[in-house]
Amino acid sequence: MKTFADEFATLNIDAMSLRMYATTTEDVERALLNPTGDLTSLMALLSPAAMAYLEPMAQQAAALTRQRFGANLGLFIPLYVSNLCANECDYCGFSMSNKVKRKTLSLDELNQEVAIIKQRGFDSVLLVSGEHETKVGPSYFEAIMPYIKAQFSHVAIEIQPLETLDYQRLAWLGVDAVMVYQETYRPHTYAKHHTRGKKQDFNYRLTSADRIANAGIDKIGLGVLLGLDDWRMDALLMAHHLDYLEKTYWRTRYSISLPRLRPCTGGITPKVELSDAGLVQLICAFRLFNPQVEMSLSTRELPSLRDNLLPLGITHLSAGSSTQPGGYHNPKTELDQFDINDERTVEQVVSALKLRGFNPLWKDWEMAWINVP
């Protein structure tokens, strides 16, 4: 069966990069006239030449976002269930060589975390773990999913890539969405940062979305860790991935995440810095390219920047996040995956959204809506 890895192998990435960096202002102006679904237009909008057009890009992006999503912003919270990991990734606090205390939540500990999350009003949760097949593999999530699904209307997972049958079992147990971020679409850079463990297999991770879609999962989340390589090219290659998936698995919904590399235990500094203006360019370019794709924004960014980015294309927002297992019940532990920049309480974030005219959504999903006889 054909996968994105087959299509990816046909891309001449060096030629694409040369073409992007040769983009002229005339190319950008043409792209602004017809950006939707056009990868050539997106290339121009991601180019350095497009930085001079941030204002018209932002105006168009804001109008498209409001037209498609209204003033609604979905709220979710990550629930870290384990920091065990069998991979060596030099940008992650959970990397196996880092000297941190390892923990996997028991059902009782999960109950403590869930009680706090529910008290804060959340009905959408993202389960996150390190990648450890034996101790936090499919069997662990199959064991906890009945309990988690009974507590939340929408359950997403961000764990190690699995086989299609594993995804099917999790779908039957109530998983609504799966996030599998490629980190970088540049194979040489990928190999440099992933030096041990199953995550070394670039193509296995690259084809994860094909397996997720074939398993019947409703939504797939793509993402790159901006700063590992040239963020412009990583974003463009992710767009090729998104375009392929939407055309191949058109019944599936898609989201993207654009996290910047953040400090963590044993972590690295970015190879290519992404400025705040560059992040604005990325969000606007993707909204112009794909008016219906969902975009999430995490607590990696500063509160003021997060608030200003919201109108430009963001549809989902985390709040009050902890990036450590057991971090809601016991926030003083030191097991973070990365540093958080927006440390506002959930109430403070909700207030800020309402002041800016947004409608915070705690729930916009019900399984009964797709279980029509």
Side-chain angles (χ1 to χ4, degrees), residues 248-268:
T248 307
Y249 309 105
W250 52 270
R251 292 182 177 88
T252 305
R253 295 190 298 145
Y254 298 95
S255 68
I256 62 170
S257 182
L258 300 168
R260 288 194 279 191
L261 187 62
R262 289 285 300 137
C264 67
T265 301
I268 59 168

Side-chain angles (χ1 to χ4, degrees), residues 6-193:
D6 301 307
E7 183 150 325
F8 185 79
T10 70
L11 299 178
N12 188 332
I13 298 176
D14 290 337
M16 291 166 63
S17 180
L18 287 172
R19 185 176 176 185
M20 174 185 282
Y21 282 92
T23 296
T24 65
T25 56
E26 290 79 9
D27 294 328
V28 177
E29 289 171 2
R30 266 194 306 272
L32 284 169
L33 296 175
N34 186 32
T36 303
D38 189 322
L39 287 162
T40 301
S41 292
L42 178 64
M43 179 187 292
L45 296 177
L46 289 172
S47 72
M51 288 294 286
Y53 293 82
L54 285 189
E55 184 59 34
M57 286 175 64
Q59 290 176 1
Q60 288 190 37
L64 282 172
T65 303
R66 183 58 65 94
Q67 180 182 11
R68 173 62 181 83
F69 298 96
N72 298 321
L73 272 172
L75 292 173
F76 73 94
I77 194 166
L79 171 51
Y80 280 70
V81 298
S82 177
N83 65 349
L84 288 174
C85 195
N87 295 317
E88 190 69 43
C89 311
D90 60 7
Y91 52 81
C92 180
F94 291 175
S95 188
M96 65 182 300
S97 66
N98 287 343
K99 304 300 182 184
V100 296
K101 182 181 178 182
R102 304 291 173 168
K103 185 175 185 61
T104 300
L105 299 184
S106 66
L107 195 56
D108 286 342
E109 290 167 326
L110 271 173
N111 186 53
Q112 292 174 335
E113 296 290 279
V114 166
I116 294 170
I117 290 172
K118 295 295 289 184
Q119 187 178 37
R120 295 179 182 178
F122 289 98
D123 199 33
S124 178
V125 69
L126 171 65
L127 302 181
V128 187
S129 79
E131 300 189 8
H132 197 294
E133 284 187 285
T134 55
K135 295 185 178 179
V136 280
S139 59
Y140 175 82
F141 287 94
E142 288 174 21
I144 68 171
M145 265 307 299
Y147 167 72
I148 295 293
K149 191 59 182 180
Q151 306 297 319
F152 299 97
S153 295
H154 191 270
V155 179
I157 59 172
E158 187 180 334
I159 63 176
Q160 69 263 29
L162 304 174
E163 293 297 320
T164 302
L165 286 176
D166 295 320
Y167 285 127
Q168 284 178 339
R169 285 195 291 269
L170 291 174
W172 295 333
L173 291 169
V175 168
D176 301 297
V178 180
M179 314 296 154
V180 180
Y181 302 151
Q182 190 63 27
E183 316 297 8
T184 176
Y185 283 85
R186 307 305 295 271
H188 290 299
T189 301
Y190 187 95
K192 175 184 175 182
H193 293 290

Side-chain angles (χ1 to χ4, degrees), residues 281-301:
Q281 182 185 7
L282 266 178
I283 292 171
C284 293
F286 266 102
R287 178 54 69 220
L288 295 180
F289 170 67
N290 194 317
Q292 72 272 3
V293 73
E294 297 177 11
M295 278 195 255
S296 63
L297 189 62
S298 79
T299 51
R300 290 172 181 260
E301 303 299 339

